[in-house]
């Protein structure tokens, strides 16, 4: 899953793809590099980020979703807003990627239930503005698995069959340093619970904590390729990344090892 952030303020690529034509061209190149899914987002969720009005979010993402879906790309829309999810599905998106697990907008699950789209539910304990205030766990892997199971049950209660649901442990969302590694170690536990698992480590701060704060993007992308290959070996269904070639190569090598 390749990341297309149509935002002015995402932490690693904010502002680069705010113009729809530039975002579309970038997404086409990610697809040409081998991305199976394009995840298009119009609201940054980096720590401390302020919310964006749904209308602005839609102005950013809908032209990009529509153009790429019409070319046959499989599109995911990264949103916490039910109205944006609805509009993006109407424009051709097949997957709604809600980092809040359907908790931010009480209409989200019902909106997706009315369609045949899939939904990725992220592990989330509250808004980005103060997400670290809730980073308090006794056993982070188990708590993330249990809290995601509750969200899968909520989706089912809203009318979304479990086969349409993907879970994501929400690396970096209300988790500090070592908690992110613990949650990655819990991927097999998540897989055992039965849903497909999506994992997003790309360029995140916990990688810089290992590499050193001076690590440039190329080094963070290499680290992302390693965590993504390890996530795949742990049973993840998809990995969400900015740089497709490095992760494609790492996945190919991991697959060859397994074969
Ligand atoms: N991380 C970010 C945004 N969206 N979606 C999923 N499913 N999983 C993630 O870990 C995730 C996400 C934040 O990173 P970005 O600003 O680089 O997109």
């Amino acid at each position: 899953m390749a990341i297309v952030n149509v935002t002015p303020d995402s932490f690693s690529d904010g502002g680069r793809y705010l113009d729809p034509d530039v975002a579309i061209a970038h997404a086409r190149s990610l697809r040409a590099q081998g991305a199976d899914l394009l995840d298009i987002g119009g609201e940054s969720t980096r720590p401390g980020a302020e919310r964006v009005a749904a209308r602005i979010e839609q102005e950013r993402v809908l032209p990009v979703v529509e153009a790429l879906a019409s070319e046959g790309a499989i599109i995911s829309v990264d949103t916490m807003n039910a109205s944006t999810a609805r509009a993006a599905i109407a424009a051709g998106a097949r997957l709604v990627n809600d980092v809040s697990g359907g908790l931010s907008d009480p209409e989200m699950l019902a909106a997706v239930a009315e369609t045949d789209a899939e939904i990725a539910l992220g592990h989330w304990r509250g808004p980005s503005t103060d997400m670290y205030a809730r980073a308090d766990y006794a056993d982070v892997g188990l708590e993330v698995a249990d809290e995601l199971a509750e969200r899968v049950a909520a989706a089912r209660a809203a009318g979304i069959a479990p086969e349409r649901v993907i879970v994501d442990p929400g690396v970096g969302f209300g988790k500090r340093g070592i908690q992110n590694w613990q949650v990655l170690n819990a991927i097999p536990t998540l897989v055992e619970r039965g849903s497909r698992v999506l994992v997003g480590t790309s360029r995140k701060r916990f990688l810089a904590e290992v590499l050193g704060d001076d690590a440039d993007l190329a080094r963070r992308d290499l680290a992302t390729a390693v965590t993504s290959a390890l996530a795949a070996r742990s049973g993840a269904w998809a990995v969400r990344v900015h740089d497709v070639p490095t992760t494609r190569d790492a996945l190919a090598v991991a697959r060859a090892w397994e074969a």
Side-chain angles (χ1 to χ4, degrees):
M1 172 188 274
I3 301 168
V4 183
N5 282 326
V6 194
T7 58
D9 57 343
S10 287
F11 74 91
S12 83
D13 54 0
R16 284 185 67 185
Y17 311 113
L18 197 53
D19 176 324
D21 291 333
V22 177
I24 291 164
H26 176 57
R28 283 185 185 136
S29 81
L30 294 168
R31 207 176 159 215
Q33 289 168 342
D36 297 315
L37 257 168
L38 300 171
D39 187 40
I40 300 168
E43 176 178 16
S44 170
T45 50
R46 74 185 152 75
E50 296 292 337
R51 295 301 309 268
V52 169
R55 181 184 56 78
I56 293 173
E57 182 191 37
Q58 288 163 30
E59 280 171 12
R60 291 176 182 168
V61 299
L62 293 178
V64 182
V65 170
E66 201 167 346
L68 294 161
S70 73
E71 295 170 11
I74 301 177
I75 304 300
S76 149
V77 61
D78 188 342
T79 184
M80 294 188 276
N81 293 309
S83 61
T84 303
R86 265 195 212 99
I89 293 166
R94 304 249 297 268
L95 170 65
V96 175
N97 173 24
D98 181 351
V99 297
S100 81
L103 284 168
S104 182
D105 185 336
E107 290 180 27
M108 179 62 93
L109 297 177
V112 173
E114 287 164 12
T115 71
D116 59 5
E118 301 192 317
I119 186 163
L121 300 170
H123 177 260
W124 189 84
R125 284 185 168 180
S128 296
T129 42
D130 62 344
M131 61 163 91
Y132 295 122
R134 291 169 292 271
D136 190 16
Y137 304 88
D139 181 335
V140 67
L142 206 56
E143 284 167 63
V144 165
D146 287 347
E147 289 168 32
L148 282 174
E150 285 170 21
R151 302 314 302 150
V152 175
R156 174 179 238 159
I160 307 174
E163 306 79 65
R164 285 164 63 197
V165 177
I166 296 146
V167 296
D168 183 320
V171 171
F173 287 89
K175 294 159 199 90
R176 300 175 201 276
I178 194 170
Q179 293 168 338
N180 292 297
W181 298 106
Q182 290 168 332
V183 111
L184 290 171
N185 271 282
I187 292 172
T189 309
L190 288 179
V191 172
E192 272 167 30
R193 304 277 179 112
S195 298
R196 288 170 288 165
V197 177
L198 167 65
V199 178
T201 58
S202 197
R203 299 180 179 170
K204 286 186 177 169
R205 183 182 300 172
F206 79 114
L207 296 175
E209 286 169 13
V210 173
L211 303 177
D213 278 335
D214 60 340
D216 60 10
L217 282 189
R219 288 180 62 206
R220 285 200 194 201
D221 284 332
L222 177 58
T224 301
V226 174
T227 50
S228 295
L230 292 169
R233 282 212 87 184
S234 303
W237 164 78
V239 287
R240 180 181 180 278
V241 302
H242 295 88
D243 186 70
V244 170
T246 46
T247 285
R248 286 280 305 189
D249 286 350
L251 292 175
V253 170
R255 206 171 294 131
W257 178 306
E258 244 166 86

